[in-house]
Amino acid sequence: MTIDVARARAETPGTESVLHFNNAGAALMPQPVISAIKGHIDLEASIGGYEAAAKTIEAQERTYAAAAELINAKPHEIAVVENATVAWCMAFYGFLQTMQPGDRILTAEAEYASNYIAYLQAAKTRGIEIVMVPSDETGTLSVDALENLIDDRVKLISITHVPTNGGLVNPAAAIGRVAKAAGIPYLLDACQSVGQIPVDVEAIGCDMLSVTGRKYLRGPRGTGFLYMREAMLDRFEPPMLDLHSAQWTAAGEYELREDARRFENWEDYIAGKIGLGVAIDYALSWSMEAIHDRVTHIAEMLRDRLAATPGVTVRDLGREKCGIVTFTVDGITPDQVRAGLAEEAINVTHSTINSTRLDMESRGLDAVVRASVHYYNSESEIDRFMEVLAALRP
Ligand SMILES: *Cc1c(COP(=O)(O)O)cnc(C)c1O
């Protein structure tokens, strides 16, 4: 199956007003997602929020089943939460309760700032050791180095699949094989990969995985989900509980929910939850393989054009690359490039050292322009992007 780009664009109202290369920030939502969210808000306005929730249980349940289908998990292994950070933190801070001073977390150079700040807090308050797995000459996490670092002190492998600041794809499945062989739990930040790359938790072998709705999945802002492998549920409790994640069964007792929804809390953005399910079904209707092929093709095209432009340096690392394209331009800062493009209704972001400090420091970079493409972006948008960029160069 290939992507019908004309149909994808016709179903994406935003393509009429902007050239959107900010899909790693928040992708343009397709019409079915927009309609689902608006429809639920209208229902809440006309009959009441609780009443609207009661009438849409099927659509809400579909979100769990759709998320499970997308990543080859079971619906009861999914918790739908506010964003990827909450998903990741529920897993990380929950698991942290099982760790002792001197225990080690193995992580990678491309790690996302929010995750790394959590490791630093674990180091400060709990005496946990953070160990960096070196990258190979392509900037990819070295699986050999990872294997060499495995010992009794290592209690968690926690890796970012695709970093926020570039096209790198870390070898999630090879890491999973090492984790499995060593019997070490594996937490994968799949925030930038799910929605652009087929992600299968069985093939990868991760035990916990965090996803956001608004990026490559094209869902609403303020949504995300956590995958928690069934076998992990008995190993630790969520770091916070409420009357949805647990039941107050006697004056001095509580009981946890049986399923992964113990990582949720009661109040919910129902319109967003339904919209997220519709976004996942929309992605599945194209097929993740077709999406991946198209995203990789468009990104490669953009990278080639940028690399052939004097004064422009492509900054993406990795053997395998994805839809995130990063670059710098001589004589003009990434933020100036972003602002110049924005004047022509072209959306990119600039990714700074604050999001991925270890990687950026090791490469002597302070910021890069991030142009993140999706399957609905067209070849002619690349032409226009290159024209406007050429005019910006000093
Ligand atoms: C954006 C991002 C996150 C955080 O996702 P939120 O939905 O904003 O919480 C985590 N990890 C990576 C790699 C990201 O790019």
Side-chain angles (χ1 to χ4, degrees), residues 24 82-86 112 114-115 160 162-164 189 191-192 211-215 223 370:
E82 299 82 321
N83 50 54
T85 302
V86 166
Y112 189 62
S114 298
N115 306 352
T160 297
V162 166
T164 204
D189 176 340
C191 190
Q192 291 292 7
V211 179
T212 204
R214 73 180 186 282
K215 296 180 180 173
T223 65
R370 183 181 72 179

Side-chain angles (χ1 to χ4, degrees), residues 109-124:
E109 207 158 21
E111 198 61 2
Y112 189 62
S114 298
N115 306 352
Y116 207 86
I117 290 167
Y119 306 147
L120 289 172
Q121 190 190 31
K124 179 170 145 188

Side-chain angles (χ1 to χ4, degrees), residues 63-64 66-68 70-71 73 77-84 86-88 194 209-213 217 223-227 264 276 280:
T63 302
Y64 295 88
L70 179 72
I71 61 167
E77 294 175 315
I78 304 292
V80 177
V81 293
E82 299 82 321
N83 50 54
V86 166
W88 189 93
V194 169
L209 170 141
S210 54
V211 179
T212 204
L217 275 177
T223 65
F225 70 86
L226 168 68
Y227 158 73
E264 300 177 345
L276 174 63
I280 296 170

